């Protein structure tokens, strides 16, 4: 059924919000785009004149589509090769959505997206809609076809799970960049001790290669183990050159609201390493190296200006 201009305008006005919700729910920009496209197809075939609140209708349809994907994604990830990490979004990507409050910024951070994998699908929906988009509990209950009291309980449970998994720390951009540069200096020094001093005692390093590129199937845990791994990662050697396929350029940037190292070869993003920085030091390195999850980052990188690399590995 052909849509009127007004009906198209209604959907297009909702698209940025729908994409931002879907990305937070699914941890995948590709899947989020698909969910929004499926929502559009349902909008196109609906009796729109009978829809009283288009925004609520679209959000409910999108949420149900995402719930179905979350259920099937859990089964797929049981057979995923190695560690699973979300698809990173570089600074400026419109799919990051609102970032006016601490809660909104945290809800799209790589750290929280990874933690949300622990939540049930309903917990994830309630947490995202309430924490990131400020939906009232009554509206969330209508979307999920549950009682308002049940929705509030689910939200408090989800928020507790997230809070238990991380320490909330906001560090300004200048301080974060300084810490990242100190890390790079230490990582390329050839010594472990300077790195250890920058890390928290329980630091972890997680890599997602998706079976496409080499990545450890288990995280490195503890400051010493992580420091040794980072030292080896940033020490040029023949094996690294062969693996990279050229000279790698390392840039300090931001991804999902966190300081990040973006590694490129001939303009193609081959790795995005998000650093979780706390008052006690760097607590986590989450490195996305699966090429299937870096296509959007490569397009975004090519479309935006960035300075000279802080490091070249060749």
């Amino acid at each position: 059924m052909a849509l009127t201009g007004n009906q198209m305008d209604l959907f297009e006005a909702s698209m940025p919000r729908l994409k931002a919700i879907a990305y937070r729910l699914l941890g995948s920009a590709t899947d989020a785009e698909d969910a929004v496209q499926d929502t559009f197809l349902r909008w196109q075939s609906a009796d729109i004149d009978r829809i009283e609140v288009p925004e609520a209708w679209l959000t409910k349809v999108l949420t149900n589509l995402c719930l179905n994907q979350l259920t099937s994604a859990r089964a797929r990830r049981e057979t995923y090769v190695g560690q699973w990490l979300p698809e990173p979004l570089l600074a400026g990507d419109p799919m990051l959505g609102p970032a006016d409050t601490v809660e909104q910024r945290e809800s799209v951070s790589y750290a929280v997206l990874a933690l949300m994998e622990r939540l049930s699908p309903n917990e994830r929906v309630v947490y995202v809609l309430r924490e990131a988009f400020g939906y009232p509990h009554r509206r969330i209950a209508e979307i999920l076809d549950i009682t308002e009291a049940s929705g509030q309980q689910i939200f408090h449970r989800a928020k507790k799970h997230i809070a238990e998994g991380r320490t909330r720390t906001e560090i300004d951009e200048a301080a974060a960049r300084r810490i990242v540069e100190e890390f790079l200096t230490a990582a390329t020094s050839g010594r472990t001790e300077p790195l250890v001093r920058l890390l928290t005692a329980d630091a972890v390093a997680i890599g997602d290669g998706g079976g496409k590129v080499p990545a450890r199937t288990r995280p490195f845990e503890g400051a010493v183990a992580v420091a040794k791994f980072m030292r080896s990662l940033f020490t040029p050697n023949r094996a690294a050159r062969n693996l990279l396929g050229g000279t790698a350029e390392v840039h300090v940037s931001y991804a999902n609201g966190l300081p990040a190292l973006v590694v490129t070869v001939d303009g193609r993003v081959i790795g995005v390493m998000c650093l979780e920085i706390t008052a006690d030091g760097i607590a986590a390195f989450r490195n996305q190296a699966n090429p299937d999850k870096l296509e959007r980052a490569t397009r975004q990188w090519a479309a935006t200006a960035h300075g000279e690399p802080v490091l070249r590995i060749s």
Side-chain angles (χ1 to χ4, degrees):
M1 177 174 129
L3 298 175
T4 67
N6 183 54
Q7 290 166 345
M8 278 297 301
D9 290 344
L10 277 171
F11 185 84
E12 288 177 0
S14 298
M15 276 183 66
R17 177 180 54 83
L18 295 175
K19 288 182 178 181
I21 291 173
Y23 173 72
R24 283 166 167 81
L25 291 179
L26 301 173
S28 164
T30 303
D31 290 345
E33 294 274 12
D34 289 343
V36 172
Q37 179 60 28
D38 287 344
T39 302
F40 174 72
L41 294 176
R42 284 159 176 73
W43 174 253
Q44 195 174 32
S45 61
D47 187 352
I48 297 174
D49 291 336
R50 300 185 62 182
I51 298 174
E52 295 181 6
V53 185
E55 178 189 332
W57 188 93
L58 289 168
T59 304
K60 181 163 186 170
V61 170
L62 176 82
T63 300
N64 285 324
L65 288 167
C66 289
L67 280 170
N68 291 337
Q69 284 207 44
L70 283 170
T71 302
S72 60
R74 283 175 175 259
R76 290 198 308 272
R77 285 169 198 164
E78 288 178 2
T79 59
Y80 192 80
V81 179
Q83 299 291 312
W84 184 93
L85 288 174
E87 181 179 347
L89 298 182
L90 300 183
D93 193 311
M95 198 176 281
L96 288 168
D100 298 326
T101 67
V102 173
E103 290 77 14
Q104 288 173 337
R105 291 190 293 273
E106 286 209 329
S107 70
V108 79
S109 75
Y110 222 51
V112 169
L113 285 176
L115 284 171
M116 280 201 280
E117 288 297 301
R118 304 179 183 181
L119 305 181
S120 70
N122 269 11
E123 286 174 340
R124 191 160 181 162
V125 167
V126 172
Y127 181 82
V128 166
L129 292 181
R130 179 64 180 170
E131 194 79 345
F133 295 91
Y135 276 68
H137 285 294
R138 175 183 55 78
R139 180 73 62 79
I140 296 171
E142 292 170 354
I143 290 171
L144 291 175
D145 293 323
I146 58 177
T147 66
E148 187 172 341
S150 177
Q152 289 174 331
Q153 290 176 351
I154 291 171
F155 174 68
H156 291 307
R157 189 164 63 243
K159 196 166 183 178
K160 183 172 181 289
H161 288 326
I162 296 295
E164 287 172 350
R166 74 186 301 261
T167 302
R168 172 179 288 181
T169 306
E170 282 231 303
I171 297 178
D172 66 74
E173 191 168 334
R177 184 178 180 89
R178 185 173 63 251
I179 293 170
V180 174
E181 289 175 346
E182 288 176 3
F183 159 73
L184 282 173
T185 299
T188 55
S189 70
R191 298 169 55 228
T192 303
E193 294 79 8
L195 271 170
V196 171
R197 289 195 292 271
L198 291 173
L199 310 179
T200 62
D202 59 351
V204 297
I206 304 169
D208 178 349
K212 306 295 178 67
V213 298
R216 183 179 165 94
T217 56
R218 294 175 60 84
F220 289 92
E221 298 180 344
V224 173
V226 171
K228 288 181 177 178
F229 170 63
M230 289 297 161
R231 184 192 64 191
S232 67
L233 196 63
F234 288 94
T235 301
N237 56 70
R238 183 176 296 176
R241 285 194 294 271
N242 292 338
L243 179 63
L244 294 171
T247 298
E249 297 184 337
V250 181
H251 295 259
V252 178
S253 186
Y254 264 73
N256 292 77
L258 292 178
L261 297 175
V262 178
V263 184
T264 65
V265 172
D266 297 330
R268 176 173 53 88
V269 176
I270 65 165
V272 176
M273 179 183 288
C274 292
L275 284 69
E276 185 177 353
I277 300 174
T278 73
D280 298 322
I282 304 172
F285 300 86
R286 296 180 177 89
N287 183 37
Q288 183 55 261
N290 184 343
D292 293 344
K293 298 183 184 181
L294 294 173
E295 293 178 1
R296 185 182 181 93
T298 294
R299 293 195 299 271
Q300 179 78 2
W301 188 255
T304 56
H306 36 77
E308 288 296 306
V310 294
L311 178 67
R312 284 186 172 90
I313 304 173
S314 60

